[in-house]
Amino acid sequence: MHKIQVADRAFGIFLENENINKRISLISIQLNVDYEDRCPLFIGVLNGSFMFMSDLLKEVSISCEVAFIKVSSYEGTESTGAIKETFGLPQDLHNRDIIIVEDIVDTGFTLEHILAQVHAQKPASVKVCSLLLKPESLKKEIPELEYVGFEIPNEFVVGYGLDYNGLGRNLKDIYRVID
Ligand code: 5GP
Ligand code: MG
Ligand code: MG
């Protein structure tokens, strides 16, 4: 098995870049159909979504706008539940079609926090596109979660934008913790 070390933990290969990109192609085809002639605003949630956002939007061929917000709730391998917001929503969302782009939905607390702020501005529609979803650890219902790359078990993963204590975001594949 392809193993790597990130800081003090060992990780094994979980999703290879080639498979990630195949899945992204399918999601983008769906987005191109669903949002034809609607000029949606994609809002990436930093830091984790930067690589997914980039690969996804290279395949999105409709007219669209792109923005980012920055939030964080994780320390080490545990969600703290307390959402720290470093910079918030950049522009007027009223009457816009919004697509929030996340790296991973775990408990759902981060998204709940973001969605409340987005809905407060009365956009025309709001959907969430997340590369990964951990269905077993989801604590909130997220009806906006329309586009999901992969459903994964409740294990800590790193790579392709996702970090372990700030490291590993640059890995092109996704790894899961093995000890
Ligand atoms: P939630 O608020 O849904 O519990 O967590 C969402 C955020 O926690 C994600 O955007 C991500 O930054 C972080 N997170 C959740 N699970 C993992 C994981 O397995 N690995 C990494 N690196 N980050 C995670
Ligand atoms: Mg995230
Ligand atoms: Mg993190």
Side-chain angles (χ1 to χ4, degrees), residues 48 72-76 103 156 161-166 169:
S72 63
S73 70
Y74 252 59
E75 271 162 28
D103 51 355
F156 190 76
L162 293 130
D163 74 307
Y164 170 53
N165 278 346
R169 293 195 196 276

XYZ file of all heavy atoms in Angstrom, residues 48 72-76 103 156 161-166 169, ligand 3:
116
model
N -9.576 24.559 2.547
C -9.628 23.185 2.028
C -10.110 23.014 0.601
O -9.748 22.055 -0.067
N -12.731 28.236 9.505
C -12.061 27.024 9.967
C -12.636 26.596 11.296
O -13.033 27.411 12.115
C -10.559 27.248 10.093
O -10.304 28.215 11.063
N -12.715 25.281 11.497
C -13.282 24.772 12.751
C -12.477 23.608 13.294
O -12.823 23.057 14.334
C -14.721 24.307 12.527
O -14.727 23.137 11.740
N -11.418 23.206 12.598
C -10.711 21.986 12.969
C -9.403 22.274 13.681
O -8.679 23.191 13.348
C -10.400 21.155 11.706
C -11.243 19.913 11.603
C -12.626 20.008 11.557
C -10.661 18.660 11.556
C -13.411 18.879 11.451
C -11.440 17.519 11.444
C -12.810 17.633 11.393
O -13.568 16.504 11.290
N -9.112 21.446 14.676
C -7.780 21.443 15.274
C -7.324 19.997 15.297
O -8.011 19.142 15.845
C -7.832 22.009 16.697
C -7.647 23.526 16.701
C -8.120 24.178 17.977
O -8.085 23.511 19.018
O -8.533 25.348 17.907
N -6.181 19.714 14.698
C -5.728 18.326 14.612
C -6.698 17.526 13.770
O -6.980 17.884 12.640
N -14.587 21.260 0.513
C -13.759 20.067 0.390
C -14.474 18.853 0.985
O -14.540 17.801 0.385
C -12.391 20.279 1.074
C -12.512 20.805 2.508
O -13.629 21.106 2.978
O -11.457 20.915 3.162
N -10.283 10.191 9.224
C -9.630 11.451 8.899
C -8.831 11.300 7.610
O -8.043 10.371 7.448
C -8.710 11.888 10.035
C -8.198 13.285 9.846
C -9.011 14.381 10.087
C -6.909 13.505 9.393
C -8.548 15.679 9.889
C -6.432 14.799 9.191
C -7.256 15.886 9.433
N -5.980 19.467 -0.982
C -6.556 20.642 -0.317
C -6.772 20.448 1.179
O -6.768 21.406 1.942
N -6.988 19.189 1.592
C -7.283 18.920 3.014
C -5.986 18.780 3.805
O -5.054 18.114 3.360
C -8.095 17.628 3.126
C -9.494 17.716 2.534
C -9.759 16.559 1.604
C -10.536 17.758 3.632
N -5.967 19.363 4.996
C -4.732 19.393 5.779
C -4.811 18.545 7.038
O -5.882 18.239 7.549
C -4.414 20.828 6.208
C -5.331 21.305 7.338
O -6.565 21.212 7.173
O -4.821 21.735 8.385
N -3.636 18.211 7.537
C -3.489 17.737 8.909
C -2.566 18.733 9.600
O -1.387 18.835 9.252
C -2.924 16.314 8.958
C -2.526 15.881 10.347
C -3.438 15.989 11.402
C -1.261 15.395 10.618
C -3.078 15.624 12.686
C -0.896 15.017 11.908
C -1.817 15.146 12.935
O -1.461 14.787 14.216
N -3.107 19.494 10.528
C -2.357 20.559 11.207
C -1.584 21.440 10.240
O -0.403 21.729 10.443
C -1.416 19.960 12.253
C -2.159 19.661 13.555
O -3.287 20.130 13.746
N -1.543 18.901 14.427
N -2.238 21.822 9.160
C -1.635 22.760 8.211
C -0.816 22.105 7.116
O -0.473 22.767 6.140
N -1.824 19.758 2.277
C -2.802 20.307 1.332
C -2.351 20.165 -0.127
O -3.153 20.137 -1.042
C -3.032 21.807 1.593
C -3.708 22.115 2.905
C -4.204 23.561 2.895
N -4.515 24.045 4.235
C -5.670 23.830 4.853
N -6.613 23.122 4.279
N -5.882 24.325 6.057
Mg -8.324 21.820 8.216
